[in-house]
Amino acid sequence: MKRILLSLLMMQSMVFAEAQDTVTDESLGRHNFFYAGQSKQRRMFIVKDGQICWSYQDELKRGEISDAVLMTDGHILVAHQYGVAEVTQQNETVWCYEAPEDTEIHTVQPIGRQHVVFVQNGKPAKAVVMKIPECQIVCEFELPTNERGSVHGQFRNARLSSRGTLLVANMALGCIHEYTSDGKEVDCWKGFLPWSVQEIAKTGNLLITGRKGLIQEINRQGKTVWQMNTTDYGVTQPQKTVRLKNGNHIVNNWYNEWGKEPMDSANAPVQAIEVDKQGKVVWQLRAWKAPDLGPSTTIQLLDDAVNRDRLWFGEFGKRPRPQLFVGPNEPIGVGRGIHPGRVAWIHSPSVAHWDGKTGLWVEDRWNSQAKADAMIPEAVIQLTGEATAKKAWQALFRHFNKTHKRGNRGYKKGEMIAVKLNMNNALTHHDTIELNSSPFVTLALVRSMVHDGGIREQDIVLCEPSRAITDSIYNKVHREFPQVRFIDNIGGDGREKCEYYPEQIVYSQNNGKMARGLAKCIVDADYLINSALLKTHSGPGVTLTAKNWYGATDINLLWRQNAHNNVSQDKRNGKPQYKTFVDWIAHKNMGQKALLYLIDGTYGSRDVNGAPNPKWMKEPFNGNWACSLIVSQDELACDAVAMDLIISEWPEFGSLNYCDEYLREAASIPSAPSGTVYMQEGKPLTRPLGLMEHCDKNRHYTKIDLKYVNLAEHQ
């Protein structure tokens, strides 16, 4: 009997718990938020702790509040169809601007404290940058729209991105545009019914709220990575979406007060819902009486108030700049190479011309093998100062052997040259859209090594000990050079599986669980070529040649299982610290065995993972891919030049603060700022490992010997 009663009690508990799970929170106090509505009364509210603590009503007697932005200084920007204004929470108007006749303004964004940008519906429609409080138009450019449609139905929402571009939801044409401040279209995503768009800061993806209830997150190639249909929840007119830190979404549900049928007060629609990651509605906002918030257009959590000082649009506003340890033209260290500290930057516009969306960037149709083939010989010629690529390769080998006390001689048959690729985003042999070493640059390198350098193909090893070498590289090189060896982490399909020597790295400080083994193909090689990539990294800020050495160690294929000790810098305070990269640069079987450093920037990327993205806007790239190779015998100088290109292009990238620390440490030996005594084979290093310097705003160096060549001008 007791067992039966116990079972009944347990069943009752389960039913009660299940009932509890189905309860949806309808309290006004779940979130503290700013609220505005597209309604006849044109009202705005701040709700805190379940109570209205501030309200505002526009007395224009016409128009509707289509967009409103609460800022960290407490001021609010409001677009009310027939103009735009900034108001305070004391209900004072700081400035206001009336839309010209036959135009409408439904969206606005702050740019610092001196400018705003808004979209002005009209014929033609325009994006407008205005100086405030003077309300002086300082920049404008036309936006495409449907000439036959109404002005009212053109645009409702535009938002600034972390890249200083303007994302515009084009309702009339069913697409999303991305513009620079001079009106150049960076990208366009078609096939949507967008009411609003916003950038997801961490990924750069776009969150689009559609007029028929479809909310989609797309990446910059236009692929949908997540979506939700709000009509499944009875939300038929969403206009904006808030993504919470826990992954939930708040979606507003606009009610049309101009409709023919009056609202059924007994079954009033929700004004907003919160949906969790499992698709369950966990909150409903339905405040039509005591208090009456009216129809919903904008919901913004108070914790997400916009800091106007951090928004910028091209040259307008204060573009973020990373904090660096070393100022421009403050060289540190001693240059290395035939011409100490020389770096060759070879730029070949259109060597890479992927459209950013169609197929894979590694396809032949998006790349010029002939132009890639021309870049490598030009790079070694510029680096050595020799007249031909053949003489340049000979000079590289002679200099290496002489400085390594192996005589004034070149390469000998039977000596192995290992090329360390960067396939960080490859876990299988299948090609993906993600950025890895270019098959075109890799083939061009092998061609030049064999045809110009006189290296036997059987003496060349293409390796990626920590990842997989994809088919596009293997097939392209193996087809032409069948005796070149391929070694990667997984083996098979013509690749050898990497083996390792244990305990090869002795770090200068206790480096925890950091990898200490090295790939046999790296240790056994007579020469190394470090073929890295031009891109950022969320940890150390950049991933260039120094970071590329990590892939030569005996780390796990799955990166989360690996230690990353003393790789990233103190981004907040800039406290000097020991850097693992310096030990790799100094290691006899890593940095000190490198014949050549090559940074493949034919595409380049702002993000360490994913497809190449975005295109490069600064001179000399002008909205195209970087189409560049950075080559040097000096690892520090090579990384410094590539780092400066990244900083110049994407200074707002959050991890760039103090990203030059490893260069400063390596160039300052024996007096590293962190106080670390860097060791090599148990002995303290007594000389700098190379030359580092940041350029000035004109890309001028005082000690780094930069040789820039635009191959398009030589053809």
Side-chain angles (χ1 to χ4, degrees):
M1 188 66 180
K2 287 182 179 180
R3 288 182 180 178
I4 294 173
L5 286 172
L6 184 59
S7 297
L8 287 171
L9 286 171
M10 289 178 66
M11 288 175 65
Q12 287 177 343
S13 298
M14 290 172 66
V15 170
F16 177 76
E18 222 172 274
Q20 288 290 95
D21 284 344
T22 60
V23 173
T24 301
D25 187 353
E26 295 189 357
S27 68
L28 200 60
R30 180 177 178 88
H31 298 288
N32 296 328
F33 58 91
F34 166 67
Y35 183 102
Q38 192 169 293
S39 64
K40 293 180 179 180
Q41 298 185 66
R42 297 169 303 282
R43 297 178 297 168
M44 299 185 290
F45 303 92
I46 291 179
V47 177
K48 192 172 184 179
D49 300 327
Q51 302 292 323
I52 293 177
C53 64
W54 176 81
S55 63
Y56 174 90
Q57 183 159 346
D58 189 345
E59 301 296 339
L60 284 177
K61 307 298 183 186
R62 61 195 290 260
E64 57 195 28
I65 294 179
S66 303
D67 194 12
V69 181
L70 172 66
M71 298 178 287
T72 51
D73 59 7
H75 289 202
I76 294 163
L77 288 179
V78 55
H80 51 74
Q81 185 176 357
Y82 296 112
V84 61
E86 180 175 344
V87 300
T88 70
Q89 291 185 34
Q90 288 72 44
N91 291 352
E92 298 171 342
T93 300
V94 180
W95 55 265
C96 64
Y97 172 80
E98 291 187 13
E101 189 174 353
D102 297 326
T103 70
E104 297 181 4
I105 301 174
H106 292 277
T107 185
V108 64
Q109 285 273 270
I111 311 173
R113 296 181 178 272
Q114 296 183 337
H115 298 90
V116 296
V117 58
F118 55 83
V119 173
Q120 185 171 287
N121 293 14
K123 295 186 177 181
K126 299 177 180 179
V128 180
V129 177
M130 186 174 73
K131 188 177 181 182
I132 56 173
E134 299 94 326
C135 295
Q136 175 189 355
I137 306 300
V138 294
C139 174
E140 62 181 26
F141 54 86
E142 292 187 12
L143 300 176
T145 188
N146 188 341
E147 292 299 323
R148 295 182 180 181
S150 69
V151 166
H152 187 68
Q154 292 175 343
F155 303 94
R156 280 298 181 279
N157 181 261
R159 287 293 181 263
L160 289 169
S161 76
S162 64
R163 304 173 185 187
T165 56
L166 185 66
L167 298 166
V168 180
N170 191 326
M171 292 198 308
L173 297 182
C175 56
I176 305 293
H177 304 275
E178 182 176 15
Y179 292 102
T180 60
S181 61
D182 58 1
K184 183 171 184 178
E185 185 177 80
V186 179
D187 217 330
C188 179
W189 299 268
K190 299 179 180 179
F192 300 95
L193 294 171
W195 187 279
S196 64
V197 62
Q198 58 189 290
E199 181 190 54
I200 300 174
K202 286 188 176 181
T203 62
N205 291 349
L206 308 183
L207 188 61
I208 303 168
T209 304
R211 285 181 291 148
K212 291 191 176 181
L214 188 61
I215 299 173
Q216 295 167 282
E217 178 185 347
I218 65 168
N219 62 22
R220 294 205 167 237
Q221 287 70 54
K223 182 180 178 182
T224 300
V225 297
W226 171 87
Q227 68 179 32
M228 174 174 66
N229 197 322
T230 63
T231 59
D232 296 340
Y233 305 99
V235 174
T236 58
Q237 301 216 53
Q239 295 184 353
K240 291 177 185 172
T241 303
V242 177
R243 174 168 289 182
L244 305 181
K245 293 178 181 179
N246 62 4
N248 291 3
H249 293 84
I250 296 177
V251 185
N252 77 309
N253 185 34
W254 177 63
Y255 171 75
N256 185 1
E257 286 190 339
W258 290 270
K260 295 180 180 179
E261 297 295 328
M263 180 191 292
D264 179 2
S265 58
N267 296 288
V270 294
Q271 292 144 311
I273 61 171
E274 179 183 348
V275 182
D276 68 13
K277 290 188 289 186
Q278 287 71 44
K280 175 187 172 184
V281 177
V282 294
W283 181 55
Q284 289 183 339
L285 175 64
R286 191 181 275 109
W288 295 100
K289 293 181 179 179
D292 175 12
L293 297 182
S296 170
T297 299
T298 293
I299 290 182
Q300 179 185 349
L301 299 189
L302 299 190
D303 289 342
D304 293 333
V306 172
N307 187 336
R308 66 198 306 170
D309 295 325
R310 294 182 181 177
L311 290 184
W312 54 285
F313 185 31
E315 70 272 29
F316 301 104
K318 185 179 180 181
R319 189 175 189 180
R321 296 290 303 179
Q323 297 291 318
L324 299 172
F325 280 113
V326 181
N329 297 147
E330 296 177 0
I332 304 174
V334 178
R336 295 191 171 191
I338 297 169
H339 303 280
R342 176 170 290 187
V343 178
W345 171 10
I346 311 302
H347 182 207
S348 182
S350 77
V351 66
H353 48 271
W354 182 46
D355 66 0
K357 297 176 183 177
T358 309
L360 304 180
W361 67 269
V362 296
E363 297 174 34
D364 288 351
R365 56 176 166 164
W366 302 123
N367 302 269
S368 171
Q369 186 63 62
K371 290 185 177 182
D373 288 343
M375 296 176 81
I376 297 293
E378 185 65 32
V380 294
I381 287 171
Q382 291 296 326
L383 195 58
T384 61
E386 298 291 343
T388 66
K390 181 177 180 180
K391 290 182 178 180
W393 279 106
Q394 291 173 351
L396 289 172
F397 280 109
R398 283 198 305 271
H399 180 269
F400 180 91
N401 286 320
K402 186 176 180 179
T403 56
H404 285 72
K405 299 180 180 180
R406 301 198 310 207
N408 185 15
R409 66 171 181 84
Y411 148 81
K412 292 181 179 179
K413 291 181 180 180
E415 291 183 321
M416 186 173 80
I417 298 95
V419 180
K420 167 63 177 71
L421 302 175
N422 187 331
M423 307 298 297
N424 186 58
N425 289 319
L427 301 181
T428 72
H429 293 150
H430 299 297
D431 289 316
T432 71
I433 202 170
E434 295 191 287
L435 183 62
N436 293 298
S437 289
S438 163
F440 306 92
V441 170
T442 305
L443 177 59
L445 176 62
V446 174
R447 281 177 172 176
S448 187
M449 291 169 70
V450 173
H451 300 316
D452 299 323
I455 303 167
R456 298 191 312 170
E457 59 181 273
Q458 57 263 47
D459 290 340
I460 299 173
V461 175
L462 299 182
C463 67
E464 178 50 295
S466 65
R467 294 292 187 269
I469 297 176
T470 51
D471 290 333
S472 58
I473 291 179
Y474 176 80
N475 292 337
K476 195 171 285 291
V477 176
H478 181 70
R479 188 182 302 118
E480 191 169 331
F481 301 101
Q483 295 184 74
V484 168
R485 295 169 61 198
F486 294 81
I487 300 176
D488 69 9
N489 186 268
I490 59 178
D493 301 321
R495 291 80 155 172
E496 302 172 39
K497 184 176 174 59
C498 187
E499 297 180 350
Y500 303 87
Y501 290 119
E503 300 300 324
Q504 293 291 300
I505 306 173
V506 178
Y507 291 103
S508 298
Q509 287 191 6
N510 182 352
N511 214 5
K513 296 181 179 180
M514 204 70 183
R516 288 171 167 76
L518 271 180
K520 288 186 177 181
C521 57
I522 295 292
V523 175
D524 294 344
D526 296 285
Y527 312 91
L528 299 176
I529 295 177
N530 185 325
S531 181
L533 288 171
L534 183 65
K535 59 181 180 177
T536 65
H537 198 289
S538 56
V542 294
T543 177
L544 304 170
T545 68
K547 179 71 168 61
N548 196 32
W549 290 127
Y550 191 31
T553 65
D554 59 347
I555 55 176
N556 195 287
L557 183 68
L558 303 176
W559 71 270
R560 292 185 183 276
Q561 298 183 20
N562 299 307
H564 296 81
N565 303 328
N566 298 302
V567 167
S568 299
Q569 65 279 14
D570 177 10
K571 300 180 185 71
R572 177 169 294 183
N573 301 308
K575 180 181 178 182
Q577 298 172 328
Y578 156 72
K579 282 286 153 287
T580 296
F581 287 178
V582 181
D583 276 329
W584 294 340
I585 294 169
H587 198 282
K588 68 175 183 177
N589 283 316
M590 298 171 86
Q592 299 308 298
K593 196 190 279 187
L595 173 78
L596 192 66
Y597 296 96
L598 182 154
I599 298 177
D600 171 8
T602 46
Y603 281 93
S605 188
R606 185 180 183 269
D607 303 305
V608 63
N609 299 315
N613 179 69
K615 292 184 178 180
W616 296 58
M617 304 308 297
K618 289 293 191 68
E619 290 281 352
F621 312 117
N622 300 319
N624 296 305
W625 300 111
C627 296
S628 297
L629 293 182
I630 311 297
V631 183
S632 185
Q633 292 173 280
D634 187 324
E635 184 166 12
L636 304 192
C638 192
D639 277 17
V641 170
M643 182 182 290
D644 284 346
L645 288 178
I646 289 172
I647 290 171
S648 174
E649 188 69 26
W650 302 302
E652 73 281 356
F653 185 74
S655 291
L656 289 177
N657 278 344
Y658 303 109
C659 63
D660 58 352
E661 179 172 29
Y662 75 93
L663 295 177
R664 182 176 74 154
E665 287 279 290
S668 300
I669 292 172
S671 302
S674 68
T676 304
V677 177
Y678 289 98
M679 312 286 283
Q680 185 184 62
E681 298 185 69
K683 297 180 180 180
L685 290 167
T686 58
R687 298 180 67 251
L689 295 174
L691 171 68
M692 78 86 55
E693 180 186 6
H694 289 302
C695 63
D696 62 18
K697 62 182 180 180
N698 298 315
R699 290 209 174 105
H700 173 257
Y701 294 92
T702 58
K703 287 293 182 69
I704 286 181
D705 182 15
L706 180 63
K707 298 294 183 181
Y708 170 77
V709 176
N710 186 330
L711 287 182
E713 298 174 356
H714 289 248
Q715 295 172 350

